[in-house]
Amino acid sequence: MIEDRDRLASSEAREAALACVEAGIEAGRPRTVVREAVSLAGETLRVADATYDLSAYDEVRVLGGGNAAAHVAAALEGVLGDRLDGGVVVTDDPVETDRVTVREGDHPTPSERGVAGTRALLEAANAASEDTLVLAAITGGGSALMAAPAGDVSLSDLQSTTDALLESGADIGEINAVRKHLSALKGGRLARRAAPATVAGVILSDVVGNDLSVIASGPVAPDASTFDDALAVLERYGIDAPDAVRERLERGAAGEVAETPGPDDPAFERVSNHIVADGMTVLEAARDAAIERGYEPLVLSSRVRGEAREAATTHVAIAEEIRATGTPLEPPAVVLSGGETTVTVRGDGSGGPNQEFATSAALSLAERETDVAVAAVDTDGIDGATDAAGALVDRATVEDPDAARAALADNDVYPYLESRNGLVCTGPTGTNLNDLRVLVVR
Ligand SMILES: O=C(O)[C@H](O)CO
């Protein structure tokens, strides 16, 4: 899965870090998690801990979107066979499917083809009736991919607002509070379209804490955020949004545009959402891979957030303590964490949160001459808007600390890591379960 793996695995610690990354991503693939969570026995469809009697429905359709949505659709086809009637998903990682129509969109910035695919998705939702069972295939990346600008908001308004939000350092809950209030689908509006169909969400979470209303902006989940919240996010991060965006949000805050549906909305009477994989799925598999190689594992948290370069120095401090005093565990050890760090973009380069994490970690390791291998990847294989999943570094990565500092200052770590043979490239992995960080302490 990892390109040029032999070159990257130049020491035992680096090899172990790559093995943990591969095991984590593999465990989070839709074909693995869907087959575990969804099964069919006669007329009874099980989705996680819920069961659905298929004889009660005229049709079963898959509707949804996200980086891994086509893989989820294909896995559902594998389970349901000819009991599945069709459906539509919007994704940037298409795979061949027999019954479900796969429409391509773009991520992280929404695009024209994403809007067209989402239109088809909304039409399919409108066509659902009370005799339809909708399996909602929702995965991370869905907010950008399922683009449905509402009211007078244009696609280009949506694009510039999305780009500004992504560069602002706002967290995903804040970003999606805005996106939900500019959309005809997000914030539970897809469920409203599909009502009175029965909806079973088959969800892969890339959101820390698994808030259903935030994952892919919660197309089939009740939404507690408001137009006021969305305006507050623009204010907090100084986002200069286009006029149509600001006008819609202000009109909504004044009660002139309907709010997103909340938990008491009848649209959710027949909706249940099931998280079939999340960051912990990845961490547990990475932990098992570490144990197999004779390392003592420490799963720090699946909820690490904040500025990537700062999170890195804390992670390195933990590895340093393990080496120096055997606290909280004796080496050889593997420290693992998940979650989603962010980058506040001040420069004008290319990179992503995992690449900035790795560069900052490498700088700390070089400064302290600490012998630890650090891998940091986005499990979808796309860190930031680059073709790298992340990076693998150790203290030898940084020969010239000023060059590493300059790359961080300019948010331009991709070329720096490329020149230091640090980039980890996987291509799109078919899943999206947030970040994975692995520190191998020998
Ligand atoms: O699409 C999104 O909103 C993010 O990936 C979080 O799910």
Side-chain angles (χ1 to χ4, degrees):
M1 164 206 300
I2 292 172
E3 292 165 20
D4 226 356
R5 193 184 188 290
D6 292 345
R7 180 185 48 77
L8 285 167
S10 56
S11 70
E12 206 174 318
R14 291 170 70 96
E15 156 62 32
L18 292 177
C20 291
V21 165
E22 285 176 329
I25 292 175
E26 194 56 47
R29 288 194 196 272
R31 66 166 177 258
T32 313
V33 297
V34 168
R35 279 198 193 133
E36 249 170 54
V38 184
S39 58
L40 181 65
E43 289 295 292
T44 304
L45 179 69
R46 179 185 65 86
V47 182
D49 52 4
T51 53
Y52 300 85
D53 177 5
L54 293 192
S55 65
Y57 301 98
D58 285 350
E59 57 169 11
V60 183
R61 295 198 175 269
V62 175
L63 302 181
N67 304 121
H71 294 260
V72 174
L76 288 170
E77 285 185 347
V79 174
L80 279 141
D82 61 8
R83 302 306 309 267
L84 190 59
D85 296 281
V88 181
V89 293
V90 188
T91 188
D92 58 348
D93 187 5
V95 284
E96 210 169 297
T97 46
D98 293 333
R99 290 161 186 270
V100 177
T101 304
V102 174
R103 296 291 301 256
E104 285 193 59
D106 290 279
H107 178 265
T109 307
S111 65
E112 193 61 67
R113 63 181 185 161
V115 171
T118 307
R119 211 173 289 127
L121 172 61
L122 288 170
E123 278 161 20
N126 284 342
S129 75
E130 64 178 340
D131 299 318
T132 308
L133 172 61
V134 172
L135 299 174
I138 306 293
T139 83
S143 296
L145 289 157
M146 292 183 278
D152 293 334
V153 175
S154 68
L155 172 61
S156 89
D157 295 333
L158 211 52
Q159 288 169 328
S160 59
T161 307
T162 305
D163 289 344
L165 283 165
L166 291 177
E167 295 197 346
S168 69
D171 71 27
I172 192 67
E174 293 172 317
I175 293 173
N176 286 357
V178 178
R179 298 202 273 203
K180 282 183 272 196
H181 288 87
L182 302 176
S183 166
L185 168 141
K186 300 179 171 69
R189 289 190 164 108
L190 183 66
R192 199 178 248 174
R193 297 261 183 164
T198 299
V199 177
V202 180
I203 299 173
L204 272 68
S205 170
D206 68 333
V207 167
V208 169
N210 296 347
D211 184 338
L212 291 166
S213 70
V214 177
I215 304 164
S217 296
V220 293
D223 184 37
S225 74
T226 62
F227 281 103
D228 277 327
D229 294 332
L231 280 169
V233 172
L234 297 188
E235 186 69 29
R236 196 171 308 138
Y237 293 95
I239 308 281
D240 184 18
D243 289 348
V245 165
R246 201 161 275 283
E247 273 161 29
R248 176 177 169 83
L249 298 181
E250 280 167 0
R251 284 183 46 235
E256 292 166 27
V257 180
E259 250 311 342
T260 48
D264 297 333
D265 195 286
F268 301 109
E269 270 167 22
R270 303 176 76 181
V271 176
S272 40
N273 283 305
H274 312 282
I275 303 232
V276 299
D278 62 10
M280 220 12 130
T281 314
V282 173
L283 287 171
E284 283 169 359
R287 180 191 59 196
D288 292 347
I291 293 171
E292 259 172 43
R293 280 168 177 73
Y295 290 88
E296 190 71 29
L298 172 66
V299 175
L300 267 189
S301 169
S302 64
R303 297 161 191 251
V304 173
R305 284 157 278 194
E307 195 68 28
R309 62 185 69 186
E310 282 153 27
T313 54
T314 309
H315 280 65
V316 168
I318 292 166
E320 232 183 306
E321 192 67 65
I322 292 173
R323 271 177 66 84
T325 70
T327 309
L329 72 174
E330 290 287 341
V334 167
V335 178
L336 299 160
S337 79
E340 187 170 47
T341 60
T342 41
V343 169
T344 307
V345 179
R346 298 198 171 83
D348 188 20
S350 76
N354 288 286
Q355 293 162 63
E356 290 218 352
F357 181 99
T359 306
S360 167
L363 198 49
S364 278
L365 294 171
E367 282 165 351
R368 290 167 190 75
E369 296 190 3
T370 303
D371 206 3
V372 172
V374 178
V377 297
D378 192 327
T379 54
D380 66 3
I382 303 156
D383 185 40
T386 70
D387 61 3
L392 170 64
V393 297
D394 54 26
R395 69 176 178 176
T397 303
V398 171
E399 265 182 349
D400 174 2
D402 285 342
R405 278 191 209 104
L408 279 165
D410 205 21
N411 302 114
D412 200 23
V413 293
Y414 179 101
Y416 174 74
L417 288 165
E418 191 174 35
S419 72
R420 303 300 306 149
N421 277 331
L423 290 177
V424 173
C425 296
T426 57
T429 60
T431 193
N432 182 354
L433 297 171
N434 247 332
D435 299 337
L436 170 62
R437 306 172 205 96
V438 184
L439 287 83
V440 180
V441 190
R442 291 192 51 84

